[in-house]
C-alpha cells in the first residue's frame, strides 16, 4: 500500500487542482467605510450549461491515517467547499492520466481556508477532521451525469506529513 | 431614535428577505457512502447578466447596542454570506417602500447558519459580533452599478431582544 504524506494547503501547491480561498495577502479593496476587507473573486467557477447552487454538507469526521479507496470528479462543473467552522480539513486530489487518477496528493488546510476544485479535478470525498463537519458547497446544479468515481485496485494510505 | 430588538434567525421570519442556509431538518440525500448529508440547493441565487463569484470578507466586529445609520442593496444580484467560524452574527434587513427602506428588522444567527439575501434586498453592512469576522461571500461579478446606499435621517438603535 503506497503511503501519501499530508502537506500544508498553500495556493501554489494547490494551483493545478483548484483555488485556496482565504483572507491572506493584501485585500483587493476596503469596503463598508473601511470596516471590511474584500478579497475579491478568488475562485475559478465553471458551471458549464448548469447554474450555481449553494448546498450545505454535513459529514462525519475522519482521522489519520486514512485509507483512500476511491476518488471522484465532476466533469461538468467546479465545486467549492467552505468550512463553516475554524477547523482544518483533509483535502485529497489527484492528477489525471488519460482518464485515470494518478499520483494522489493530500493537503491539510489551516483554519480560515476554503477551497474551490476546478472542473473535472479528481478528489477524495469530503473529509473533515473535526466536528461538526459542516460546509457550504458551491457547485453546479443541472441535468446530466456530473459524477465519475474511480476505485483504486490498491488503496493508498494517507499519513500525517 | 427608534429601537429595533433583535430576534433569532429563522427561515420563516427571514423568508421575505432571503434564505437561511443550514444543516437543519431532513437532508435532501445521503452521499459519500452515507458518510455525508447533503442539504441541496438551498439558496435562491440570481446574478442577472453577471456571473457568480466567491470572495472572502474580513470585517471588524461590532457590538450591541448598534447604531444603524444606513442600509444598502444590490439591485443586480443576490448575495450570500457564509461565516467561516461557528459564531453568530448580526443581520439587518429592511422592507422597500417605493425605493425607500422601511421597517428594519434585526436577526442574530445561530452557529452553523449562513444567509443568502435575495436580489435587491435592503440590508445592513456585514456585522460580525466575534473575531475573526471572516465570511465567504457569493455574489454577482459583472459590470454596472450594483450598489445603492440609503442613509436614514434618524438612525435606528439595534438592541438585544
Amino acid at each position: 500500500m503506497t503511503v501519501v504524506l499530508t502537506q500544508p494547503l498553500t495556493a501554489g501547491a494547490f494551483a493545478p487542482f483548484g483555488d485556496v480561498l482565504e483572507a491572506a495577502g493584501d485585500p483587493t479593496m476596503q469596503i463598508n467605510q473601511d470596516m471590511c476587507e474584500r478579497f475579491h473573486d478568488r475562485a475559478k467557477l465553471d458551471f458549464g450549461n448548469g447554474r450555481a447552487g449553494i448546498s450545505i454538507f454535513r459529514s462525519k469526521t475522519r482521522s489519520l491515517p486514512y485509507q483512500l479507496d476511491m476518488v471522484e470528479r465532476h466533469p461538468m462543473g467546479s465545486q467549492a467547499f467552505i468550512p463553516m467552522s475554524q477547523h482544518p480539513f483533509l483535502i485529497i486530489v489527484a492528477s489525471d492520466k488519460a482518464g485515470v487518477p494518478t499520483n494522489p496528493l493530500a493537503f491539510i488546510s489551516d483554519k480560515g481556508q476554503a477551497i474551490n476544485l476546478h472542473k473535472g479535478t479528481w478528489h477524495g470525498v469530503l473529509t473533515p477532521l473535526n466536528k461538526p463537519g459542516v460546509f457550504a458547497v458551491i457547485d453546479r446544479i443541472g441535468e446530466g451525469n456530473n459524477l465519475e468515481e474511480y476505485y483504486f485496485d490498491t488503496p493508498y494510505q494517507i499519513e500525517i506529513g
Side-chain angles (χ1 to χ4, degrees), chain A:
Chain A
M1 193 155 58
T2 303
V3 169
V4 176
L5 298 180
T6 63
Q7 55 183 300
L9 180 65
T10 64
F14 197 64
F17 310 100
D19 314 295
V20 177
L21 314 175
E22 60 184 325
D26 292 329
T28 314
M29 61 194 93
Q30 296 281 341
I31 60 172
N32 300 348
Q33 299 173 309
D34 289 347
M35 290 292 283
C36 187
E37 298 166 311
R38 179 170 179 136
F39 302 80
H40 183 68
D41 194 21
R42 294 294 167 102
K44 185 182 172 185
L45 302 178
D46 183 347
F47 305 112
N49 61 356
R51 62 170 175 84
I54 304 177
S55 300
I56 304 294
F57 282 23
R58 182 168 56 194
S59 174
K60 292 176 182 169
T61 58
R62 314 298 175 97
S63 58
L64 293 166
Y66 171 75
Q67 184 173 307
L68 179 70
D69 300 309
M70 60 85 72
V71 290
E72 61 182 43
R73 64 177 176 178
H74 309 295
M76 304 172 81
S78 57
Q79 188 174 43
F81 292 89
I82 298 165
M84 292 178 67
S85 64
Q86 287 186 275
H87 299 116
F89 62 108
L90 174 64
I91 301 143
I92 297 166
V93 289
S95 301
D96 180 76
K97 191 172 181 180
V100 176
T102 181
N103 189 28
L105 297 179
F107 297 90
I108 293 187
S109 68
D110 199 357
K111 61 181 182 179
Q113 289 183 319
I115 61 159
N116 177 59
L117 294 169
H118 292 159
K119 184 169 77 171
T121 300
W122 289 112
H123 62 279
V125 299
L126 184 59
T127 42
L129 301 170
N130 302 84
K131 291 185 177 182
V134 174
F135 293 70
V137 176
I138 293 87
D139 64 2
R140 177 185 177 277
I141 309 293
E143 295 300 311
N145 179 17
N146 191 24
L147 175 63
E148 279 183 55
E149 295 178 319
Y150 187 94
Y151 284 80
F152 295 110
D153 290 334
T154 307
Y156 292 85
Q157 171 134 317
I158 314 295
E159 296 183 2
I160 294 177

